[in-house]
């Protein structure tokens, strides 16, 4: 039931985002839609025995936080795929780091996540900071591979935990309880 409510809310959000872009009401919404059209999801076929690590970052700041982990993962010989939600992060790093495969995270809807996981076939998913996409995480759980959270902290002072977002945030907490793998940073990092 909660997953259906989440999916309706998130589907409405992305529909409104597309409508705002279509009606030219918001330049960021237009850029979000245009960038995804210009960069459709396409992944090379997975080779036998190949390991694939998928790191998801909201934008440039999260990518910078993931850099030490990326450098370690590179040494494993695995193929590294990096997704962004924000066009600003994607545009700033995709041309500078040709050793990685970059793509935009599609809307967090069950059918889109199912297609993404089927086409990408990742072995591990690393989510940086507050990128808590319920249907994405549920798909990882269904595929029985680890979803690892890096730099994830929740405090009462976080705006998303207060006000009108409390109910929505509770959906995330229900989802997060299902995952066991965490990478954290010291409090004063």
């Amino acid at each position: 039931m909660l997953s259906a409510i989440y999916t309706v809310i998130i589907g409405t959000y992305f529909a409104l985002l597309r409508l705002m872009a279509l009606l030219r009401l918001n330049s960021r919404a237009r850029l979000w839609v245009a960038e995804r059209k210009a960069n459709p999801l396409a992944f090379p076929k997975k080779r036998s025995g190949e390991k694939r690590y998928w790191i998801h970052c909201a934008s440039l700041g999260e990518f910078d936080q993931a850099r030490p982990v990326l450098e370690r993962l590179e040494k494993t010989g695995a193929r590294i795929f990096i997704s962004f939600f924000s066009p600003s992060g994607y545009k700033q790093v995709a041309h500078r780091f040709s050793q990685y495969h970059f793509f935009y995270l599609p809307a967090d809807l069950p059918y889109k996540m199912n297609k993404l996981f089927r086409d990408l076939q990742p072995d591990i998913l690393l989510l940086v900071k507050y990128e808590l996409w319920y249907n994405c995480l549920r798909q990882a759980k269904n595929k029985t591979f680890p979803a690892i959270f890096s730099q994830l902290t929740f405090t009462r002072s976080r705006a998303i935990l207060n006000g009108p977002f409390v109910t929505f945030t509770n959906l995330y907490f229900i989802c997060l309880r299902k995952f066991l793998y965490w990478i954290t940073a010291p409090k004063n990092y």
Side-chain angles (χ1 to χ4, degrees):
M1 175 68 173
L2 288 176
S3 64
I5 293 169
Y6 169 85
T7 299
V8 167
I9 291 169
I10 210 75
T12 302
Y13 170 78
F14 284 112
L16 288 173
L17 192 70
R18 290 185 180 284
L19 181 63
M20 288 175 23
L22 180 67
L23 298 176
R24 298 183 172 274
L25 297 175
N26 185 293
S27 61
R28 294 180 87 186
R30 278 198 327 264
L31 180 62
W32 190 89
V33 170
E35 282 293 310
R36 279 162 173 76
K37 282 184 182 175
N39 299 285
L41 294 177
F43 303 108
K45 185 175 166 109
K46 189 172 184 177
R47 296 183 296 252
S48 176
E50 176 184 58
K51 289 286 184 193
R52 289 187 170 190
Y53 299 147
W54 170 21
I55 292 87
H56 176 67
C57 309
S59 62
L60 183 60
E62 287 79 5
F63 177 80
D64 287 339
Q65 289 177 340
R67 295 268 311 270
V69 175
L70 287 168
E71 290 167 7
R72 294 291 299 259
L73 291 176
E74 265 186 81
K75 295 175 182 174
T76 68
R79 252 190 189 169
I80 299 173
F81 295 81
I82 302 172
S83 60
F84 284 95
F85 185 77
S86 160
S88 63
Y90 181 100
K91 289 175 127 184
Q92 290 194 33
V93 300
H95 66 281
R96 292 190 338 215
F97 296 91
S98 59
Q99 70 269 36
Y100 308 130
H101 302 271
F102 292 94
F103 66 98
Y104 284 110
L105 185 72
D108 189 36
L109 298 168
Y111 72 96
K112 288 187 180 265
M113 286 298 135
N114 186 39
K115 180 179 181 348
L116 173 61
F117 277 76
R118 185 183 64 239
D119 294 349
L120 180 55
Q121 299 176 7
D123 296 293
I124 290 176
L125 168 59
L126 174 69
L127 299 124
V128 182
K129 206 79 168 156
Y130 302 109
E131 287 301 285
L132 307 172
W133 298 104
Y134 182 84
N135 288 310
C136 178
L137 294 171
R138 192 170 73 179
Q139 192 65 233
K141 182 174 173 63
N142 291 344
K143 302 290 184 194
T144 65
F145 69 83
I148 302 168
F149 299 94
S150 173
Q151 311 278 338
L152 178 63
T153 56
F154 282 115
T155 62
R156 293 217 180 270
S157 64
R158 293 287 310 154
I160 196 164
L161 299 179
N162 299 311
F165 296 106
V166 170
T167 303
F168 195 68
T169 303
N170 286 339
L171 290 174
Y172 285 140
F173 280 114
I174 290 166
C175 182
L176 290 175
R177 286 190 299 208
K178 299 176 182 178
F179 299 95
L180 304 173
Y181 303 96
W182 300 80
I183 296 175
T184 60
K187 188 174 183 178
N188 297 326
Y189 179 70

